[in-house]
Amino acid sequence: MAGRQAVKAYLDLVSQACRAVLIFLKDNKIPHTVENIALRKAQQKTPEFAKLNPMQKLPVLEDNGFVLTESDAILKYLAIAYNVPDHWYPKMPEKRARVDEYTAWNHANMRTHISSIFLHEVGFDVLLPRMGQPANPEKLKKVLADLDGTLDKLENVFLKNQAFLCGDDISLADLLAVCELMQPLCSGRDILKDRPKLLSWRSQVQSALSDSFEEAHSVVYQIREKFTAKLSPCSNQDTL
């Protein structure tokens, strides 16, 4: 890639999608810089950022004048443009289709439920006094029930008896999924604690990603510490 400048990633690591992009860049040693955009300060809504992404969302990638939005598109572009190991986004049509199948499902299912849990339990209260108080416990209960069905599908339809979601090696599907499933840890909730198969899968993904995983998720652990410190003693929250 001689002559190319480092890509610039516009990120906020509170976002699970942003963490996935950063992990991929680091794990594959793609030269990059990070521009931090604080969602809690609505910095994605500024006129300057809106010129970059009219949708006013993160993540955004800028590669030598080429601007791309949406984490799914960004990850697949990087996999192709930077010739990363084939297991991430296989060239074989059938294997690539399996990754595409999961990523399409992820956004409409896993992302929807996980984001709802985060907003109900934490939201942007990570910096506000009412941290630790769910906005609506009944709605949260329903969202958790909906997520349970989604986790059943993740385990029985996608993972099955494989090591990873799309086969014997890690792919973009695993990366996107694990970043989603880490998000509830912001409130100390481990949604996989009663699912040994998914716990084993998560551990394998973490091991495969090593330091890049831990670095990207340090913000999750920091939020968890602040959040759980403010939980009442009688809380029945599931913590690690």
Side-chain angles (χ1 to χ4, degrees):
M1 310 303 289
R4 299 186 70 160
Q5 298 178 350
V7 302
K8 180 183 285 189
Y10 297 80
L11 308 173
D12 184 335
L13 297 184
V14 172
S15 158
Q16 51 270 53
C18 289
R19 294 196 299 271
V21 170
L22 182 62
I23 290 169
F24 190 79
L25 288 167
K26 285 179 171 291
D27 196 73
N28 288 287
K29 297 179 174 56
I30 297 173
H32 65 277
T33 60
V34 173
E35 183 78 18
N36 293 304
I37 305 294
L39 293 171
R40 67 186 181 280
K41 296 180 180 179
Q43 291 180 348
Q44 81 280 14
K45 301 289 186 182
T46 64
E48 181 181 3
F49 188 82
K51 291 179 183 177
L52 187 70
N53 182 10
M55 301 299 181
Q56 301 181 327
K57 293 183 178 182
L58 295 174
V60 175
L61 184 80
E62 192 172 6
D63 185 7
N64 290 267
F66 174 64
V67 177
L68 189 61
T69 68
E70 300 295 333
S71 56
D72 185 28
I74 289 170
L75 290 168
K76 290 172 181 176
Y77 167 77
L78 289 171
I80 296 168
Y82 285 85
N83 195 31
V84 303
D86 189 68
H87 61 80
W88 284 110
Y89 194 46
K91 294 181 177 65
M92 183 181 294
E94 292 86 352
K95 290 185 176 182
R96 178 168 291 192
R98 287 299 181 204
V99 176
D100 289 335
E101 180 181 37
Y102 177 80
T103 61
W105 180 84
N106 179 79
H107 195 77
N109 293 274
M110 191 71 72
R111 173 70 52 80
T112 299
H113 299 315
I114 294 292
S115 295
S116 293
I117 291 172
F118 179 78
L119 291 173
H120 277 89
E121 290 198 306
V122 180
F124 294 111
D125 292 347
V126 291
L127 298 178
L128 297 176
R130 78 177 185 87
M131 183 193 302
Q133 301 176 19
N136 189 317
E138 287 303 314
K139 286 186 178 179
L140 176 59
K141 185 177 180 180
K142 182 181 185 306
V143 171
L144 287 169
D146 290 341
L147 175 62
D148 203 44
T150 297
L151 292 176
D152 285 341
K153 292 183 176 65
L154 180 69
E155 182 172 335
N156 300 318
V157 177
F158 290 101
L159 183 60
K160 295 175 284 194
N161 293 315
Q162 305 174 124
F164 295 93
L165 293 179
C166 296
D168 295 329
D169 211 339
I170 193 171
S171 72
L172 295 180
D174 300 281
L175 176 57
L176 285 168
V178 79
C179 288
E180 294 291 343
L181 294 170
M182 290 294 289
Q183 193 75 349
L185 288 180
C186 288
S187 63
R189 184 183 294 280
D190 187 358
I191 57 176
L192 301 185
K193 71 182 185 68
D194 296 320
R195 294 177 175 270
K197 184 182 288 189
L198 289 178
L199 278 173
S200 176
W201 161 80
R202 184 176 70 186
S203 179
Q204 289 190 86
V205 174
Q206 286 181 251
S207 295
L209 296 171
S210 191
D211 291 344
S212 60
F213 181 92
E214 294 303 319
E215 289 172 17
H217 283 92
S218 62
V219 67
V220 171
Y221 307 141
Q222 291 167 13
I223 293 171
R224 178 179 61 184
E225 288 180 9
K226 294 178 182 178
F227 186 94
T228 54
K230 295 197 175 186
L231 288 175
S232 64
C234 61
S235 172
N236 63 356
Q237 182 77 332
D238 299 322
T239 58
L240 286 182

